[in-house]
Amino acid sequence: MGLTGGIGAGKSTVAARLAEHGAVLIDSDRLAREVVEPGTPGLAAVVKEFGDQVLADDGSLDRPALAAVAFADPDARNRLNGILHPLIGQRTTELIKAAPPEAIIVHDVPLLVENSMAPMYHLVVVVHADVQTRVERIMANRGMTEEDARARIAAQATDEERREVADVWLDNSGSEDEVLAAVDALWADRLVPYEANVRLRRPADPPPAHKPNPTVRYQMRRLVERLRFVAGDRAERVEPVMSESPEDPQPAVIDMRLTVRTPEDVDALMDPLAEAGFPRANDHHASADPGRPVRVWLKSAA
């Protein structure tokens, strides 16, 4: 799953609690520091690109000096990202492969929304707090002025942009005990059974009764992007199957239609869909996620 949230929202609190439960936590910020530690190929590549001026006296990376050079213009920033992103991706892959088969992997990515990474994940968990709470936390924990704190918040994704990709919205505007209780429930009720269902390639149990889904429009858009990512070039169309009943604007089960180009594409997507959390169930694919009932109707355009 992907974990994200704006500065001051309390994402680190949620990440730490998930790790306490046994999640394998992959912190992208930490990896970004690791790949440019002294003696690494990453640091050598950065110095080759930007010069010795980005080194501190002890041979480590002088981050303020690098920022002054690499963020001076978009081209320099792109060159830096071209060095760092493949190294971070390689290290992320190594950590995922080293995790036990039954592990719940949590990828902590501050800029998940800004970098359009949501379709990559089975679930996206967004940690949220109201702006004033975030400002107060930033000022207390990072020593920023109120003006600087608000500027940092304004430079990141908006709440609406985060809602667009959120499978789980954790409100951390209240006490720490409240958000920790929400994380505990998320772990026990959703993440643990979801992992088991994906690993065993079985659909989640159907909901016991019709429960309206007030976020269905967000979820439909999220599913379109997720299924399009999984199907890749094989997808011709991905679309929700809308109910024609005005009495059912918030269906308990979301129906999605994935149209691929050929019958061979239908067969080729059986395993990728199961690995992505949509195992086969009779004449359709069903979600392995106990928190979001979905039916995926896979058909060929040919």
Side-chain angles (χ1 to χ4, degrees):
M1 61 165 264
L3 174 66
T4 193
I7 183 172
K11 177 171 57 62
S12 60
T13 299
V14 173
R17 187 64 155 199
L18 290 167
E20 288 177 10
H21 280 296
V24 173
L25 182 62
I26 300 175
D27 185 332
S28 60
D29 277 350
R30 181 177 299 173
L31 295 186
R33 293 190 294 271
E34 287 181 4
V35 299
V36 289
E37 288 179 346
T40 61
L43 181 58
V46 170
V47 172
K48 181 179 180 181
E49 183 65 39
F50 296 101
D52 291 339
Q53 62 183 317
V54 301
L55 287 177
D57 292 339
D58 63 358
S60 64
L61 182 66
D62 185 334
R63 294 184 181 279
L66 176 62
V69 175
F71 292 95
D73 62 79
D75 178 65
R77 184 167 59 252
N78 289 336
R79 297 202 313 271
L80 177 62
N81 289 337
I83 295 170
L84 298 183
H85 287 180
L87 296 172
I88 295 169
Q90 178 182 346
R91 183 60 180 142
T92 298
T93 300
E94 291 171 355
L95 292 172
I96 291 173
K97 288 183 177 179
E102 70 281 2
I104 294 174
I105 297 173
V106 176
H107 195 186
D108 183 339
V109 189
L111 299 181
L112 183 151
V113 177
E114 290 85 344
N115 290 332
S116 303
M117 297 172 66
M120 298 168 54
Y121 298 103
H122 289 77
L123 279 180
V124 172
V125 176
V126 174
V127 184
H128 167 77
D130 62 75
V131 171
Q132 186 57 39
T133 298
R134 293 169 63 189
V135 168
E136 292 171 0
R137 288 174 181 166
I138 296 167
M139 292 171 63
N141 299 331
R142 306 196 182 203
M144 291 186 187
T145 65
E146 180 175 352
E147 181 180 5
D148 288 342
R150 291 187 182 276
R152 286 287 296 273
I153 290 172
Q156 295 184 334
T158 66
D159 289 347
E160 183 65 19
E161 288 169 334
R162 291 193 179 96
R163 282 194 182 276
E164 288 279 350
V165 304
D167 299 304
V168 179
W169 186 263
L170 287 178
D171 195 324
N172 190 23
S173 300
S175 70
E176 184 174 293
D177 286 345
E178 290 174 318
V179 75
L180 292 180
V183 175
D184 293 346
L186 171 65
W187 179 267
D189 299 339
R190 192 166 184 178
L191 298 184
V192 170
Y194 191 6
E195 182 283 321
N197 288 342
V198 172
R199 177 164 39 87
L200 299 173
R201 300 199 173 191
R202 66 188 181 196
D205 293 333
H210 187 292
K211 184 179 180 181
N213 181 357
T215 65
V216 66
R217 299 298 174 184
Y218 291 115
Q219 298 301 315
M220 285 178 176
R221 287 194 289 270
R222 163 83 168 114
L223 286 163
V224 166
E225 294 303 316
R226 174 67 172 158
L227 290 169
R228 184 176 288 130
F229 175 81
V230 174
D233 292 340
R234 292 187 171 92
E236 185 165 285
R237 288 191 310 278
V238 185
E239 56 196 348
V241 181
M242 305 299 295
S243 171
E244 297 181 359
S245 171
E247 291 79 26
D248 192 25
Q250 299 177 0
V253 180
I254 300 175
D255 284 292
M256 301 294 299
R257 182 181 295 114
L258 170 57
T259 304
V260 294
R261 304 184 190 284
T262 68
E264 290 75 18
D265 288 331
V266 171
D267 295 334
L269 282 175
M270 291 295 175
D271 284 345
L273 281 170
E275 292 168 2
F278 303 99
R280 188 71 177 173
N282 299 320
D283 59 344
H284 63 279
H285 290 255
S287 177
D289 177 7
R292 182 174 57 198
V294 178
R295 290 184 294 245
V296 179
W297 303 92
L298 178 61
K299 70 172 189 176
S300 167

